[in-house]
Amino acid sequence: MKTAGKLVVLGSINADHILNLDSFPSPGETVTGNQYQVAFGGKGANQAVAAGRSGASIAFIACTGDDDTGERVCQQLQRDNIDITPISVVKGESTGVALIFVNGEGENVIGIHAGANAQLTTERVEAQRDIIAGAQALLMQLESPVESVLAAAKIAHENHTTVVLNPAPARVLSDELLALVDIITPNETEAEKLTGIRVENDDDAARAAKALHDKGIETVIITLGSRGVWASVKGEGRRVAGFRVKAIDTIAAGDTFNGALVTALLEGSSLDDAIRFAHAAAAIAVTRKGAQPSVPWRNEIDDFLSQQG
Ligand code: RIB
């Protein structure tokens, strides 16, 4: 029996150590930053927070270490309206860490220590079978072991739970996994990794979308940065523009887009309306610093949308 509108996110939790600097260092160079911040992040947690703050009924399958960071992350996730019952605390492990440089243009480079995220095993996924089977949608990324992503997708598929995959960070995926995905949301780099097609314009995006449809995926949404997204359903594609804002930090913009997109789809919005809602959430996020500190609440997204023509 499905719980109406219930979303399950499976993914990573990180503590982000963020250094803002004018420009990225070259190999062998040392640069001094102008601001340092530690904030909660991880693609899974960011997407869960985006869904929780934008109004979804959501549970989160993840792992933390048995450390102070893990404890504080879980307290914050609860304040963000997330059911943390499926989060495992892994003994003897540390919570994941991301080391992030942000340059003067708001671009970032990221290095990850997986820590407890690597312990999100297929056994831990199997232990959450009922919650995945009972959900309307399962949202995942690729900062968790890929065999666990596959195991969760199989459970979802068998139980008619919609599988949404944000294939980030970029990696090659098996046809077996792709065939279980209902909605995929790569950026240009990830789309190229999955299809071999370099995405530089709408025609390329349409070809990459077709390649992903050919793998068995019904809905393909390729995010194109400031150009919006290419949205393609069963081969019928069009570009949906985003909102123009002054970006100061793009960390978690994609995560915010994904969490908000699935929230709106579960509320019954059309694909175009859900994309507009997700664009608004991401537009707000890029005007703020950090990952989870930048993710907007529902009232902020609604206010933003009501101010657009
Ligand atoms: O997508 C942004 C996230 O990627 C950061 O929060 C960092 O933790 C990395 O996982």
Side-chain angles (χ1 to χ4, degrees):
M1 182 70 177
K2 302 274 181 201
T3 320
K6 184 86 182 175
L7 170 64
V8 174
V9 175
L10 181 149
S12 58
I13 293 175
N14 292 330
D16 290 350
H17 292 251
I18 306 166
L19 185 66
N20 291 82
L21 25 74
D22 291 337
S23 52
F24 297 133
S26 310
E29 189 187 6
T30 300
V31 290
T32 302
N34 46 51
Q35 197 187 335
Y36 169 70
Q37 183 194 5
V38 182
F40 297 139
K43 294 186 192 305
N46 297 343
Q47 294 184 19
V49 167
R53 290 187 191 167
S54 60
S57 165
I58 173 206
F60 184 29
I61 302 173
C63 291
T64 68
D66 61 346
D67 49 18
D68 176 58
T69 306
E71 219 173 287
R72 287 187 296 113
V73 168
C74 286
Q75 286 164 1
Q76 180 57 46
L77 292 172
Q78 276 179 305
R79 287 196 286 272
D80 288 323
N81 297 337
I82 296 164
D83 174 3
I84 60 160
T85 323
I87 296 182
S88 305
V89 177
V90 184
K91 269 205 165 327
E93 262 297 356
S94 54
T95 299
V97 171
L99 303 178
I100 306 180
F101 286 155
V102 179
N103 71 7
E105 277 74 57
E107 300 165 319
N108 61 68
V109 290
I110 305 181
I112 299 282
H113 169 62
N117 295 312
Q119 301 305 319
L120 185 49
T121 56
T122 52
E123 291 75 19
R124 286 199 162 96
V125 170
E126 188 54 41
Q128 305 301 334
R129 169 174 283 275
D130 289 352
I131 210 166
I132 297 171
Q136 290 283 322
L138 169 69
L139 171 61
M140 300 187 286
Q141 324 71 36
L142 299 175
E143 280 182 347
S144 305
V146 74
E147 64 274 15
S148 300
V149 171
L150 176 64
K154 280 183 181 164
I155 297 170
H157 188 73
E158 281 160 22
N159 292 281
H160 310 289
T161 299
T162 302
V163 178
V164 186
L165 180 65
N166 172 230
R171 59 177 290 169
V172 172
L173 293 175
S174 68
D175 286 353
E176 183 188 19
L177 173 56
L178 292 174
L180 297 169
V181 173
D182 299 295
I183 303 174
I184 196 162
T185 60
N187 65 16
E188 292 125 311
T189 312
E190 293 146 9
E192 181 177 353
K193 194 75 165 180
L194 293 173
T195 65
I197 297 166
R198 198 177 175 80
V199 178
E200 289 177 333
N201 53 43
D202 290 354
D203 288 346
D204 298 339
R207 284 191 301 121
K210 181 178 179 318
L212 291 166
H213 289 313
D214 290 346
K215 301 281 182 191
I217 304 171
E218 190 172 293
T219 303
V220 179
I221 299 172
I222 302 177
T223 55
L224 306 167
S226 59
R227 296 179 56 245
V229 302
W230 183 262
S232 180
V233 181
K234 296 182 188 162
E236 287 294 312
R238 72 270 178 201
R239 190 153 59 79
V240 184
F243 298 102
R244 281 199 174 281
V245 289
K246 169 105 184 76
I248 60 158
D249 177 343
T250 57
I251 299 173
D255 298 331
T256 303
F257 179 90
N258 277 275
L261 175 82
V262 179
T263 301
L265 289 173
L266 289 180
E267 287 178 0
S269 294
S270 67
L271 185 61
D272 281 43
D273 285 349
I275 290 172
R276 188 175 150 79
F277 181 79
H279 272 327
I284 298 169
V286 299
T287 64
R288 301 173 177 171
K289 286 190 173 173
Q292 286 160 41
S294 74
V295 175
W297 287 83
R298 177 60 172 254
N299 63 314
E300 296 175 302
I301 305 171
D302 289 342
D303 285 354
F304 180 96
L305 281 171
S306 68
Q307 284 159 21
Q308 309 303 314

